[in-house]
Amino acid sequence: MAALSKVFDEYMRTKTCQTFLMHPESCPVHCLKDIPLYLLSNFKYFAPICLLPLLVKLRHINKKKLRQTLEYYAECSLIGTATGCTINVLICFVRYILGRFTYYSYVYVPSLIGGCMYNLASDRVKDMFETSIFQCNISIFLLQRSNIITRLIANSKHLQTYIFMCCSALILQGKYVYNLKGFWFLQPNNKLVEFGNTENPKCQLHSESSCQQHLWHGMRKYFLLGLTLDLIKTMMNNVDVIKTQSKMWRKIKNFRIRSMALLTSYIGIYRFTHCYLNRKFPHQKNLNHILSGFLSGICYSFYPQSNLFCYALLQSIFTIWNIIRIKNVSSKNQVLKYLLRIPFGKIMFPIGLANIVHYVCLKPEYCSPLVTAIAYGVTNKYPSVIKSEVALMKQTTRCL
């Protein structure tokens, strides 16, 4: 980084936005011209994320849920547009204030300031933005392989599977015992219905249906959810266009049923194991649930991928933090109560966003396809222009 920083500062000392080929027109014209393009890009990017999940709830949809979904979609797109446009404007503005580009003022500082725009959003949109950005930062950290721990995790699918199983048990237990919110691929079973007689023929987990029906209903539901996620991934993936085939047809040909298989097996193992353990050991309720959540996490071995692993790690951190907050809500320790009131998510989000944009533009080799897709979707692929010019600068100065 030090060598690149030094060369960057020397090479960019006399460069302007026009001479560095970021945009041929003047900065004000460029920023105004890009506003509708950013708006269109964000509405296109968030469409599959916000609207495709409606397919799972299509049979139970009503006007209220439809309106809430459309409002959520519009808010995500508008906040993404505001963030991307602010970063775009500040890249030019900061260069004008400082008189030149520098290594960190190039995209890091504009993204750090632009990330504060997300505070205009509702809590639901904030949670989604924070989850995406923090997950991307974990992915970048693992791809760097900067220490022996990250190298072991990144290179071992067996170790990833074991960690995912632990994360699965922790997240499901947090939802089961503490009723924690937040999206996870699997919703835990309801709390046990207590029967006076433990020899009751009906399973305590689902007194209104048999174990076979309970298993079938869950697998059918998560089959549709997995299909939705596969469709989202197919639509968001970039494909090489062949002259004889359209882009949409190429995406259809690249469709894979990976999430569908993973989620179906996840719910199947979880519900089967939980029912079996509660019939065999009816007095070990918490232990049965922990073991069920742990064993169901083995489904990761069917479809190991870094994005899913990073998301599980992030949700585990959120779960631990929320459990600490719940257990210490009545604590008399004033220092602890003060720490629990600090909005770490709001503080870390601009830093995380700046780190992502910085890596996408200057160190793309550490960015997963998800990181690149998010940066391109919110900013109408503007980082690709910057990345291309930075790559050309590296080649020119023989920095590689």
Side-chain angles (χ1 to χ4, degrees):
M1 181 184 293
L4 177 59
S5 174
K6 181 179 179 181
V7 174
F8 189 96
D9 290 342
E10 292 178 355
Y11 184 84
M12 301 293 285
R13 187 178 299 275
T14 59
K15 297 291 184 180
T16 64
C17 297
Q18 290 76 25
T19 56
F20 198 53
L21 302 179
M22 290 176 60
H23 51 81
E25 63 277 335
S26 64
C27 293
V29 172
H30 163 71
C31 294
L32 289 174
K33 186 184 72 173
D34 275 6
I35 292 177
L37 298 177
Y38 275 46
L39 192 63
L40 179 62
S41 178
N42 276 272
F43 272 96
K44 179 181 176 182
Y45 171 73
F46 286 105
I49 298 174
C50 300
L51 300 182
L52 276 182
L54 285 175
L55 294 175
V56 180
K57 306 175 182 178
L58 195 58
R59 296 177 59 185
H60 307 286
I61 197 69
N62 54 42
K63 291 183 178 180
K64 182 180 179 181
K65 290 181 179 179
L66 180 61
R67 186 181 68 252
Q68 290 175 344
T69 301
L70 293 176
E71 289 175 353
Y72 177 61
Y73 169 50
E75 187 178 0
C76 288
S77 302
L78 291 174
I79 294 299
T81 301
T83 303
C85 289
T86 302
I87 295 173
N88 192 1
V89 171
L90 288 174
I91 288 175
C92 298
F93 184 72
V94 171
R95 183 203 63 80
Y96 177 78
I97 294 297
L98 298 180
R100 63 188 180 95
F101 290 117
T102 64
Y103 185 69
Y104 284 105
S105 69
Y106 186 34
V107 291
Y108 188 89
V109 173
S111 301
L112 184 67
I113 301 172
C116 298
M117 295 297 294
Y118 107 114
N119 288 290
L120 300 174
S122 62
D123 290 339
R124 184 185 180 189
V125 175
K126 284 181 182 177
D127 290 341
M128 195 272 282
F129 274 57
E130 288 175 4
T131 301
S132 301
I133 295 304
F134 296 154
Q135 179 186 352
C136 290
N137 275 277
I138 294 175
S139 174
I140 291 173
F141 179 70
L142 290 177
L143 283 175
Q144 285 181 307
R145 292 173 167 81
S146 56
N147 55 66
I148 187 172
I149 296 177
T150 55
R151 285 195 294 271
L152 282 173
I153 295 175
N155 296 328
S156 175
K157 298 300 181 183
H158 297 294
L159 182 57
Q160 288 181 23
T161 301
Y162 178 75
I163 295 174
F164 184 85
M165 294 170 71
C166 295
C167 293
S168 173
L170 176 62
I171 296 168
L172 290 174
Q173 187 68 3
K175 288 181 171 293
Y176 183 75
V177 176
Y178 299 97
N179 196 28
L180 298 180
K181 305 300 180 183
F183 174 77
W184 180 242
F185 306 101
L186 178 63
Q187 288 300 317
N189 290 319
N190 296 324
K191 289 289 186 67
L192 289 177
V193 178
E194 297 290 345
F195 293 105
N197 180 15
T198 57
E199 300 298 328
N200 194 298
K202 292 185 178 179
C203 183
Q204 297 180 24
L205 294 171
H206 44 85
S207 58
E208 296 181 356
S209 61
S210 65
C211 291
Q212 291 83 357
Q213 291 174 329
H214 181 62
L215 180 62
W216 163 249
H217 291 159
M219 294 181 70
R220 182 180 62 183
K221 177 181 177 180
Y222 283 86
F223 174 89
L224 294 175
L225 178 60
L227 177 62
T228 303
L229 293 175
D230 284 328
L231 288 173
I232 292 175
K233 185 172 182 180
T234 300
M235 294 183 66
M236 292 178 62
N237 279 346
N238 292 322
V239 295
D240 297 328
V241 180
I242 302 176
K243 291 183 179 180
T244 57
Q245 293 180 347
S246 65
K247 186 176 181 180
M248 181 57 67
W249 178 246
R250 289 286 296 170
K251 287 190 175 185
I252 293 174
K253 289 187 66 176
N254 287 336
F255 176 74
R256 299 292 183 272
I257 58 172
R258 294 168 177 170
S259 297
M260 188 166 60
L262 182 141
L263 292 182
T264 305
S265 60
Y266 195 5
I267 186 68
I269 297 172
Y270 170 75
R271 289 195 171 183
F272 174 81
T273 308
H274 201 192
C275 287
Y276 177 79
L277 290 175
N278 274 287
R279 283 183 174 275
K280 292 292 183 181
F281 312 102
H283 302 293
Q284 301 292 334
K285 298 180 178 62
N286 278 334
L287 181 60
N288 291 341
H289 188 263
I290 292 172
L291 285 174
S292 301
F294 178 78
L295 293 175
S296 61
I298 202 172
C299 66
Y300 179 84
S301 60
F302 305 151
Y303 179 32
Q305 57 164 332
S306 60
N307 293 333
L308 177 61
F309 179 75
C310 294
Y311 185 77
L313 283 178
L314 179 64
Q315 288 301 319
S316 297
I317 295 171
F318 285 165
T319 300
I320 294 172
W321 176 247
N322 287 323
I323 291 175
I324 292 174
R325 292 179 63 182
I326 292 173
K327 284 184 171 293
N328 294 278
V329 67
S330 301
S331 174
K332 296 181 180 180
N333 189 327
Q334 296 301 317
V335 176
L336 180 60
K337 292 179 69 174
Y338 174 76
L339 290 174
L340 294 176
R341 287 197 298 266
I342 297 176
F344 289 105
K346 293 182 179 179
I347 295 172
M348 296 302 298
F349 178 83
I351 300 173
L353 177 64
N355 190 58
I356 287 175
V357 178
H358 182 79
Y359 271 89
V360 168
C361 294
L362 302 182
K363 292 180 175 291
E365 62 272 17
Y366 297 124
C367 297
S368 66
L370 175 65
V371 177
T372 306
I374 291 176
Y376 284 8
V378 175
T379 58
N380 191 36
K381 297 186 179 180
Y382 189 50
S384 64
V385 178
I386 300 175
K387 183 175 69 174
S388 300
E389 296 305 319
V390 170
L392 184 60
M393 179 197 72
K394 290 180 180 179
Q395 184 177 4
T396 304
T397 57
R398 296 183 180 179
C399 187
L400 291 176

